[in-house]
Amino acid sequence: MLDIRVIRENPEYVKERVRLRGGDHWMLVDKVLECDVKRRNAETEKQALSSERNSTSKQIGQMMKEGRREEAEALKARMSAVGERIKELDAVATAAAEEQENLLLNIPNMPHDAAPVGADETANPELRVWGSKPELAEPKDHVQIATACGLLNFEDAARISGSGFIVYRGLGARLERALINFLLDTQTQENGYQEVGVPFIVKRECMYGTGQLPKFEEDMYGLEGNSMFLVPTAEVPVTNLCRDRILKESDLPVKMTAYTPCFRREAGSAGRENKGMIRVHQFDKVELVEICRPEDGFAELEKLTGHAESILQKLGLHYRVIELCTGDVGFSSAKTYDIEVWAPGQGKYLEVSSCSCFTDYQARRMKLRYKDADGKMRVPYTLNGSGTALPRLYVALLEQCQQPDGSVRIPAALVPYFGADSIAPVS
């Protein structure tokens, strides 16, 4: 969440930055300040009355010793009223604090000052392109390729789970497993991330910690009355490994990677442009998470994005990088780069990774802090990125590496994991 001190000191700046996202979240800023004033006034009066009650208690004791019983009883009666007032003020302060926190949880992060300004994805600038589009006379889409090669079965998935799910078969399942191992080995052995294995179910407070709740609850798969959730991304369990903790500056940066399946309802995602593997309810992903000093945050974002890009470069897949504008950047993010891989069978780019710096927004929600070299308590920055998401990587690999005879060429970097250099159509 946003730092209340920043809101107090420069509310107009906060409103201006949040307003650039679109919507009316910026209007909550004034309500936060109203709650803040009410809470602080109640706490100030409460502290003054508590101090008065403490000093008066000593006076009452002295009066009783001196036999001034009548005066002591009068003061006792007065302190009884003071005690009732303290209870009232405590209730006011607690209610104001709870309302203030609820409001803060519903205000998105402020976009970075240098973020491109725009209303939606049409304003996202292209920053760079790697490689070139493969020359294919009549490119097939991944559904045609996978069906011909016996890799995937959407009908079986629909029979057991409904639409928006995938069954991998034979070499299709082996290819998925090979990609997961390739991604993890690249990030751990070459880019310095520690692999962690995490639960695929998280508590409700973890979803608040990384910002999925309260805004996106309808998109999540909830359990036990929504007290727990299937993970929508490994970002949630991995980042929350550090919730409610005080780290040492020497611990930073913390760099972790994890494979998890991800579960999202993806409401309203039906349509031709989302057929096959492009938008599904359950998919595999390898996530990159970093916790670092604030002064290193945006430089680390550049490195993390490069680590995600390295996957596509090793596989020889053409892609581009765009920066999200103020109206398209995610709820918790201050700055985001999307990596989009080319899918010739679709005739368009598909987002395969989203790399973000959340500044101290998530850390405040998780009550994550660190102690610097001078012993001062500070709030770190958190970052994450897909390293990468599997379905669209799978789509791009099949479609970019398709051959005229219907086979699929396996990129050289993946051959040791897959065990072959091509996949032929089934007879």
Side-chain angles (χ1 to χ4, degrees), residues 19 44 90 134 185 196 203 220 269 280 315 342-343 377 417 424:
R19 187 187 284 116
T44 298
D90 191 52
D185 282 355
V196 294
K203 295 178 180 179
M220 306 303 158
S269 65
V280 289
L315 296 175
W342 176 246
M377 209 66 76
Y417 295 88

Side-chain angles (χ1 to χ4, degrees), residues 8 14 16 46 114 136 217 251 313 345 377:
R8 283 189 205 123
V14 174
E16 175 192 344
K46 175 186 167 184
L136 300 167
E217 186 155 359
D251 294 331
Q313 293 175 10
M377 209 66 76

Side-chain angles (χ1 to χ4, degrees), residues 161 164-166 168 221 261-264 280-284 391:
S161 300
F165 293 90
I166 307 167
Y168 299 87
Y221 282 102
C262 305
F263 304 89
R264 301 179 190 176
V280 289
H281 299 307
Q282 177 185 330
F283 60 95
D284 292 325

